[in-house]
Amino acid sequence: MSPNLDPPYIARCAVLAMALEVSGTPKPGNIDRDHDYVDTKYEDFIAAAIGVFPVMEKACTGGGIGELILEASDECVKWQSGGNTHFGAYILLFPLIKAAMSGTDHLKENAIDIVRDTTVNDAVDFYKAFSKVAVRMKDSEDLDVRDDSSLEELRERGLTMYDIMEISSKNDMVAKEWVNGFARCFKAGRSILEKRKTGSLNDATVLTYLELLAEEPDTFIVKKYDLEKAHYTQRLAIDVMDRRMTLNELSNRLYMEKINPGSTADIIIAGLFIALLSGLKV
Amino acid sequence: MSPNLDPPYIARCAVLAMALEVSGTPKPGNIDRDHDYVDTKYEDFIAAAIGVFPVMEKACTGGGIGELILEASDECVKWQSGGNTHFGAYILLFPLIKAAMSGTDHLKENAIDIVRDTTVNDAVDFYKAFSKVAVRMKDSEDLDVRDDSSLEELRERGLTMYDIMEISSKNDMVAKEWVNGFARCFKAGRSILEKRKTGSLNDATVLTYLELLAEEPDTFIVKKYDLEKAHYTQRLAIDVMDRRMTLNELSNRLYMEKINPGSTADIIIAGLFIALLSGLKV
């Protein structure tokens, strides 16, 4: 284990990953340093990232994944007025933070073990946190998260948080990361590190985001609109990759059409965190 | 004492103040979210702000002011490649952080007591930290900070850090804050809170910065160039206040002429910190 990988170090990497992700511009469709939404602004994301520092530090040494997501969600909204800005990111960051406490050599394997070890209590806490953000999204198809009866049902069926993520994985690319061994998070991390060798940190972030967008339809867009809109966004990203459209044109189009690929941004946060742990230079 | 004013809370306010200051745009002449320098970029300031979190937390319960500035300076450059981005801000933040541990009711009085209680050891540590950034600035007129003999001289003359700041106060607006009871820091804090009532956080930050710039010649500009250039910058800021020039015109002019009012930015950081402690909403 690197002497640096202590809780205060790991927590700062997690906070910095959130701050760098939202700073990366233009990150078509999502909030960045030059793009606000009506109800959420860039500074909300920055304050939210800094505000959850103690929860990130606590995650290194204790707390269940569900409990940590619930705590971070509560803390997040105390620091700014843009809502629960990082809910999807927490789902990825907390297992990775815990895994980082055993060093970076087996980060992926350790994160896989950690999510598989989640409990029914994690699932219950996760749903409590999710129910607070659910008003902003369509319902989960699998469980109604807005009433206590669904929490009872969770307990009766003995579903762990891992089970919930497995059920959700076909409709949610963040949940899918729990099932596929954080494959796209690590891929994003490698891509950011590789691109940083020859380019700026901002370009490494933005270009990796674009690659992810071109690779798979963003499931946040599917939930907010439908699969067709997500495929449309993916095709536009491919157009930029193939130089049939500029990044700024894509950016303007997605902002005008209010299409925000939020889950892809969550993967970028996890990728930046992995890259920072692996020596990414700011 | 508000239950919130514990070390993790105060430290987050300090980190957030640094992040919000550098995000405020356009902040003519200084690095902001849309303006980098050749050797320092926006992300360097964000990483530097987040990187010093543990030193900010430590300051709440221990460590001399000089020692904390030295530690923060060392930590700061580990997280990014743009140099000691916040040296002037540390001089203001650490006394205010320590004062905040006794609540916000007598923040100003407590900060005054804290700087008056600084020691010769604080002065020695401060100069050790300053010697590392001094290559970027002209020498102090009063003490050559680059060799050990000046540290010996400090000890022989029995100069405390407060004494040093008093000597420097005629040429350095940050040092002057120690002598004048942090007058402009608190004024900036009140201005930011007041402007936030009717405007955005960004506008509150930028307009307060402009007011400070129009009020006094920035001593960082004096050190980098001369008093004439600082007065020239002040006159331009007055022109913007009086609507003879736009903020963007001022911004473009200062960036082109490489005039960065760095000490005014330090005051803004302290003002944002005071405002956050006093309930500023992000």
Side-chain angles (χ1 to χ4, degrees):
Chain A
M1 176 172 157
S2 155
N4 271 335
L5 286 185
D6 57 5
Y9 184 83
I10 294 170
R12 280 176 286 173
C13 287
V15 169
L16 183 53
M18 288 185 272
L20 291 177
E21 183 280 322
V22 74
S23 299
T25 188
K27 221 161 51 292
N30 283 312
I31 286 179
D32 67 25
R33 68 174 90 168
D34 291 325
H35 296 92
D36 292 340
Y37 299 151
V38 173
D39 54 356
T40 311
K41 60 190 180 302
Y42 172 68
E43 291 93 332
D44 291 328
F45 276 77
I46 291 289
I50 293 167
V52 296
F53 183 92
V55 192
M56 298 291 148
E57 201 169 16
K58 176 183 169 180
C60 296
T61 52
I65 301 287
E67 176 193 343
L68 292 163
I69 293 173
L70 185 56
E71 277 187 36
S73 300
D74 286 344
E75 194 63 36
C76 168
V77 296
K78 287 183 196 160
W79 286 81
Q80 41 81 37
S81 47
N84 192 344
T85 47
H86 289 91
F87 186 73
Y90 301 150
I91 297 170
L92 300 173
L93 281 177
F94 285 122
L96 291 168
I97 286 172
K98 286 184 175 295
M101 282 298 286
S102 304
T104 52
D105 288 349
H106 304 284
L107 192 62
K108 189 179 167 76
E109 293 76 10
N110 291 334
I112 291 169
D113 287 345
I114 286 161
V115 297
R116 292 213 172 127
D117 285 347
T118 54
T119 64
V120 176
N121 279 339
D122 287 317
V124 170
D125 283 337
F126 169 73
Y127 266 112
K128 285 182 185 164
F130 186 64
S131 67
K132 297 179 186 178
V133 292
V135 285
R136 292 189 168 224
M137 304 169 67
K138 284 191 191 171
D139 281 355
S140 158
E141 284 176 22
D142 307 294
L143 286 166
D144 181 354
V145 299
R146 307 236 189 118
D147 60 40
D148 291 342
S149 67
S150 62
L151 296 183
E152 284 302 314
E153 192 192 331
L154 269 182
R155 288 201 182 90
E156 275 165 28
R157 289 169 64 185
L159 293 173
T160 68
M161 186 167 166
Y162 184 82
D163 294 331
I164 302 293
M165 291 295 124
E166 198 169 30
I167 294 166
S168 306
S169 64
K170 62 179 188 294
N171 299 317
D172 186 315
M173 66 206 282
V174 169
K176 194 172 160 193
E177 289 297 289
W178 275 43
V179 181
N180 71 9
F182 295 86
R184 296 185 85 215
C185 297
F186 278 90
K187 190 176 171 184
R190 284 191 301 273
S191 167
I192 291 165
L193 278 172
E194 189 58 33
K195 288 175 172 55
R196 181 71 178 105
K197 286 182 192 165
T198 53
S200 73
L201 180 60
N202 188 73
D203 287 357
T205 305
V206 168
L207 293 175
T208 300
Y209 170 83
L210 184 68
E211 284 178 7
L212 290 180
L213 218 52
E215 190 180 71
E216 276 188 29
D218 184 282
T219 52
F220 188 86
I221 301 174
V222 179
K223 285 176 197 171
K224 190 174 168 188
Y225 297 103
D226 50 35
L227 186 60
E228 194 183 341
K229 191 81 97 180
H231 275 136
Y232 161 78
T233 307
Q234 183 187 10
R235 281 195 305 274
L236 292 178
I238 293 169
D239 283 346
V240 178
M241 295 283 286
D242 294 345
R243 300 184 188 279
R244 287 188 296 270
M245 182 186 257
T246 70
L247 190 60
N248 278 328
E249 282 168 340
L250 174 65
S251 181
N252 292 337
R253 175 105 59 117
L254 295 192
Y255 289 117
M256 275 204 298
E257 299 182 17
K258 297 192 199 311
I259 300 173
N260 55 315
S263 293
T264 303
D266 295 332
I267 307 265
I268 288 292
I269 290 176
L272 279 162
F273 177 63
I274 292 164
L276 286 167
L277 291 179
S278 310
L280 176 68
K281 294 289 172 221
V282 173
Chain B
M1 177 173 158
S2 154
N4 272 336
L5 285 185
D6 58 4
Y9 185 84
I10 294 170
R12 280 176 287 173
C13 287
V15 169
L16 183 54
M18 289 185 271
L20 291 177
E21 182 280 323
V22 74
S23 299
T25 188
K27 222 161 49 294
N30 283 314
I31 287 179
D32 68 24
R33 69 173 90 168
D34 291 326
H35 296 93
D36 292 339
Y37 298 151
V38 174
D39 55 355
T40 311
K41 60 191 181 302
Y42 171 69
E43 291 94 331
D44 291 329
F45 275 77
I46 290 290
I50 293 167
V52 297
F53 182 93
V55 191
M56 299 291 148
E57 201 169 18
K58 176 183 169 179
C60 295
T61 52
I65 300 287
E67 176 193 343
L68 293 162
I69 293 173
L70 185 56
E71 276 187 34
S73 300
D74 286 342
E75 196 62 35
C76 167
V77 295
K78 287 183 196 160
W79 286 81
Q80 42 81 36
S81 48
N84 193 343
T85 47
H86 289 91
F87 186 73
Y90 300 151
I91 297 170
L92 301 172
L93 282 176
F94 285 122
L96 290 168
I97 286 171
K98 286 184 176 295
M101 282 297 287
S102 304
T104 52
D105 289 347
H106 304 284
L107 193 61
K108 190 179 166 77
E109 294 74 12
N110 291 334
I112 291 169
D113 287 345
I114 285 161
V115 296
R116 291 211 175 129
D117 285 347
T118 53
T119 63
V120 177
N121 280 339
D122 287 318
V124 170
D125 283 336
F126 169 73
Y127 266 114
K128 284 181 187 166
F130 185 62
S131 68
K132 297 179 186 179
V133 292
V135 287
R136 292 187 167 225
M137 303 170 67
K138 282 190 193 173
D139 281 355
S140 158
E141 284 176 21
D142 305 295
L143 286 166
D144 179 354
V145 298
R146 308 240 188 114
D147 59 38
D148 290 342
S149 67
S150 62
L151 296 182
E152 283 303 312
E153 193 192 329
L154 270 181
R155 288 202 181 89
E156 275 165 28
R157 289 168 66 184
L159 293 172
T160 68
M161 187 167 164
Y162 184 82
D163 294 331
I164 302 294
M165 291 295 123
E166 197 168 31
I167 294 167
S168 306
S169 63
K170 63 181 186 293
N171 300 316
D172 187 315
M173 65 206 282
V174 170
K176 194 173 161 191
E177 289 298 289
W178 274 43
V179 181
N180 72 9
F182 296 84
R184 298 185 84 216
C185 297
F186 279 89
K187 188 175 171 184
R190 285 191 300 273
S191 167
I192 291 165
L193 278 171
E194 189 59 33
K195 288 176 172 54
R196 181 71 179 102
K197 285 182 192 163
T198 53
S200 74
L201 180 60
N202 188 73
D203 286 358
T205 305
V206 167
L207 293 174
T208 301
Y209 170 82
L210 184 68
E211 284 178 7
L212 290 180
L213 217 53
E215 189 180 72
E216 276 189 30
D218 184 281
T219 51
F220 188 86
I221 301 174
V222 179
K223 285 176 195 171
K224 190 174 167 186
Y225 298 104
D226 51 34
L227 185 60
E228 193 183 339
K229 190 81 96 180
H231 276 135
Y232 161 77
T233 307
Q234 183 187 11
R235 282 197 304 275
L236 292 179
I238 293 169
D239 283 347
V240 177
M241 296 282 288
D242 294 345
R243 299 183 189 277
R244 286 187 297 270
M245 182 187 257
T246 70
L247 190 59
N248 279 327
E249 283 168 339
L250 174 65
S251 181
N252 292 338
R253 174 108 56 120
L254 295 191
Y255 289 118
M256 276 204 296
E257 299 182 15
K258 297 191 197 313
I259 299 174
N260 55 314
S263 292
T264 303
D266 295 331
I267 308 263
I268 289 291
I269 289 176
L272 279 163
F273 176 63
I274 292 164
L276 285 167
L277 291 178
S278 309
L280 174 69
K281 294 289 172 222
V282 173

